Amino acid sequence: MDQDEGLTAVDNIVTQFSTYEDFLDSQITTVDLYYLEDESLARQLVELGYRGTGEVVKREDFEARKAAIEIAMLAERTQKK
């Protein structure tokens, strides 16, 4: 995977979920919750990359891309006016 594809994947994740916690929750299965019995612990494991069904994205990266996308959308709306 080259750098452009990686950025596109993160952008897709950022636009798909409104918060980082929503993204983490999407990676947690019912089996994870059954054995761990703690949603917070399950989120931490996904965040660290030990568990989950998809790509590992750090909180800082998620929030930075979310802010960049919001700024770009705002600039686009402002230009249209």
Side-chain angles (χ1 to χ4, degrees):
M1 174 184 327
D2 66 17
Q3 182 130 357
D4 292 337
E5 289 177 4
L7 291 176
T8 303
V10 172
D11 289 344
N12 288 338
I13 290 170
V14 168
T15 56
Q16 187 176 0
F17 300 102
S18 58
T19 65
Y20 186 66
E21 284 73 20
D22 290 342
F23 164 68
L24 293 178
D25 289 346
S26 74
Q27 302 295 306
I28 299 169
T29 66
T30 54
V31 175
D32 295 335
L33 290 175
Y34 175 79
Y35 285 107
L36 295 171
E37 297 179 354
D38 184 4
E39 188 174 27
S40 175
L41 178 60
R43 285 179 178 167
Q44 288 175 348
L45 290 173
V46 171
E47 192 168 4
L48 293 171
Y50 290 110
R51 195 71 188 115
T53 57
E55 186 171 343
V56 176
V57 178
K58 293 185 180 185
R59 181 179 300 271
E60 295 83 20
D61 295 339
F62 182 92
E63 291 173 354
R65 291 303 304 153
K66 188 85 167 169
I69 289 172
E70 288 174 1
I71 290 169
M73 290 174 69
L74 182 61
E76 188 175 316
R77 281 189 218 133
T78 305
Q79 259 186 340
K80 286 182 180 179
K81 291 181 181 178

